[in-house]
C-alpha cells in the first residue's frame, strides 16, 4: 500500500501533518500519484488540481478540517464527494455537520496529533526568549493564530473569533499585555492599538521559540467560532500553559468543562475567578493520548482499512 499526499504549501496544519506523516511512515509514501494506491487529500480545496481520471482510479481519503457554515459550498462538496471513498475529520463538530450530507459510515474521526519533542513545559527561569513587559507585572495573554482574511489583510477572519478576543481584552482591568505570533495578525493589531493595550508581535518565529512563548504566558485564549483543532489546544496542554477556549474542534477532548467558555462574559468571569487557581494537570494528562506516537497508528489503521475495503469490494 502506497499513499500520495497532496500539498498546500500554506504553512498550515495540513502541511505539518503531511510532513510528520512522511517522516514517520516513509515506507507507506509514494511521491508519484500514478504509482500510489491511495490519494490523501489533506488539502481538500486543491482537489481540482488532480485529473479526474486519476481520482476515479484510486482510493481517495479526504480530510475535512472544519466547516464554516457561512462559507460552506455544498455544491462543490457534493461534486467532490463522488470521488471520495473515505472521509477523515479531526473532531465531532465536523463529523456531525458533514454526516448530514453523506453516510456517516463513510466518516472516520481521528484528532490531529502534537509532537512531544516540540511542545513541552519549560521553567520560566530557563527561558532564553526575552520580552520586555510594562511596569506593574500585567497579565500576559497569548494568541498565535491567524486572524485576518488574506484577500485584503484587513477584514477579520471571523471563524477564528478575533473580534471576540479583542472584546474580551477590552473588558480586563488592569490592562493585560498581549503576545501575538504568526502571520496575518493585522486585524488584532489594529484593535489592540485602538484599545491602547500593549503588545509584542513576533511574526516569523521558530517552533522552539514558539514553545518558549507558550511557557512565558499566563494565559492563552482560543476564541474561535469554528476550528479543526486548533493545534494551540494541544500545544498549550503539552506545555502546561493555562488556556480558556470556546467549544470548538477538540476543546472538549482535552480541556475540562470549567475551562470552556460560550460568551465574552464567560471568558471575562473565568479570567477573574479561575486564573489564580488554574490547574494544568488535567490538560497535560489528557493530551498525552494525542501525541504523534499514538495517533500515527490510528491514521495507519485508517488507510489500511480503506485499502482493504476497496480491494474487498472491487
Amino acid at each position: 500500500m502506497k499513499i500520495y499526499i497532496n500539498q498546500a504549501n500554506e504553512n498550515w496544519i495540513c502541511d505539518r501533518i503531511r510532513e510528520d506523516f512522511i517522516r514517520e511512515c516513509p515506507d507507506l509514501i509514494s511521491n508519484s500519484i500514478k504509482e500510489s494506491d491511495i490519494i490523501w487529500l489533506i488539502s481538500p480545496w486543491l482537489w481540482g488540481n488532480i485529473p479526474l481520471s486519476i481520482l476515479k482510479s484510486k482510493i481517495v481519503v479526504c480530510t475535512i478540517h472544519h466547516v464554516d457554515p457561512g462559507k460552506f459550498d455544498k455544491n462543490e462538496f457534493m461534486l467532490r464527494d463522488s470521488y471520495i471513498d473515505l472521509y477523515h475529520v479531526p473532531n465531532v463538530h465536523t463529523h456531525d455537520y458533514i454526516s448530514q450530507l453523506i453516510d456517516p459510515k463513510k466518516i472516520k474521526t481521528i484528532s490531529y496529533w502534537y509532537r512531544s519533542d516540540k511542545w513541552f513545559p519549560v521553567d520560566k527561569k530557563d527561558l532564553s526568549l526575552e520580552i520586555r513587559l510594562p511596569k506593574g507585572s500585567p497579565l500576559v495573554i497569548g494568541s498565535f493564530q491567524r486572524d485576518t482574511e488574506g484577500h485584503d489583510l484587513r477584514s477579520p477572519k471571523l471563524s477564528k473569533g478575533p473580534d471576540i478576543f479583542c472584546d474580551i481584552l477590552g473588558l480586563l482591568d488592569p490592562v493585560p499585555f498581549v503576545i501575538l505570533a504568526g502571520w496575518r495578525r493585522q486585524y488584532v493589531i489594529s484593535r489592540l492599538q485602538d484599545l491602547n493595550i500593549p503588545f509584542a508581535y513576533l511574526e516569523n518565529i521558530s517552533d522552539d521559540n514558539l514553545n518558549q512563548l507558550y511557557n512565558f504566558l499566563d494565559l492563552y485564549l482560543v476564541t474561535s467560532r469554528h476550528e479543526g483543532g486548533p493545534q494551540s489546544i494541544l500545544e498549550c496542554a503539552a506545555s502546561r500553559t493555562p488556556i480558556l477556549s470556546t467549544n470548538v474542534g477538540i476543546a472538549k477532548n482535552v480541556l475540562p468543562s470549567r475551562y470552556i467558555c460560550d460568551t465574552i462574559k464567560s471568558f471575562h468571569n473565568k479570567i477573574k475567578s479561575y486564573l489564580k487557581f488554574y490547574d494544568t494537570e488535567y490538560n497535560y494528562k489528557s493530551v498525552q493520548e494525542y501525541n504523534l506516537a499514538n495517533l500515527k497508528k490510528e491514521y495507519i489503521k485508517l488507510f489500511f482499512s480503506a485499502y482493504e475495503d476497496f480491494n474487498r469490494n472491487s
Side-chain angles (χ1 to χ4, degrees), residues 229-245:
Q231 284 298 101
S232 54
I233 290 178
L234 299 176
E235 292 161 3
C236 282
S239 61
R240 292 184 180 271
T241 301
I243 177 173
L244 297 176
S245 176

Side-chain angles (χ1 to χ4, degrees), residues 258-276:
R258 65 183 179 274
Y259 298 148
I260 295 177
C261 308
D262 55 4
T263 64
I264 293 172
K265 184 177 180 180
S266 174
F267 272 102
H268 183 228
N269 289 341
K270 290 185 180 185
I271 291 171
K272 290 195 301 181
S273 60
Y274 280 176
L275 197 54
K276 290 182 180 179

Side-chain angles (χ1 to χ4, degrees), residues 125-144:
K125 65 181 176 57
D126 295 326
L127 295 175
S128 60
L129 201 65
E130 294 186 7
I131 295 178
R132 289 187 177 181
L133 296 177
K135 293 180 180 179
S137 300
L139 180 68
V140 181
I141 296 177
S143 168
F144 306 153

Side-chain angles (χ1 to χ4, degrees), residues 14 23-24 32 45 70 93 105-106 116 137 182 203 211 253:
C14 51
R23 185 185 60 256
E24 292 288 321
S32 168
W45 58 94
H93 304 285
K105 294 179 181 178
K106 199 176 175 180
S116 56
S137 300
E203 180 177 14
N211 186 61
N253 298 40

Side-chain angles (χ1 to χ4, degrees), residues 21-37:
F21 194 83
I22 289 173
R23 185 185 60 256
E24 292 288 321
C25 307
D27 293 343
L28 296 179
I29 300 301
S30 172
N31 291 321
S32 168
I33 192 169
K34 292 183 178 180
E35 295 177 5
S36 67
D37 302 294

Side-chain angles (χ1 to χ4, degrees), residues 106-151:
K106 199 176 175 180
I107 310 168
K108 179 69 173 177
T109 304
I110 309 176
S111 172
Y112 302 138
W113 58 65
Y114 79 97
R115 288 177 54 181
S116 56
D117 62 326
K118 285 193 172 187
W119 313 108
F120 51 86
V122 180
D123 193 297
K124 278 185 165 57
K125 65 181 176 57
D126 295 326
L127 295 175
S128 60
L129 201 65
E130 294 186 7
I131 295 178
R132 289 187 177 181
L133 296 177
K135 293 180 180 179
S137 300
L139 180 68
V140 181
I141 296 177
S143 168
F144 306 153
Q145 298 172 271
R146 299 176 189 179
D147 61 62
T148 308
E149 293 287 6
H151 66 270

Side-chain angles (χ1 to χ4, degrees), residues 139-176:
L139 180 68
V140 181
I141 296 177
S143 168
F144 306 153
Q145 298 172 271
R146 299 176 189 179
D147 61 62
T148 308
E149 293 287 6
H151 66 270
D152 64 2
L153 296 180
R154 183 176 56 195
S155 303
K157 190 174 180 65
L158 291 176
S159 63
K160 299 294 183 182
D163 52 327
I164 299 172
F165 178 77
C166 294
D167 288 347
I168 294 165
L169 298 181
L171 294 175
L172 298 181
D173 184 19
V175 175

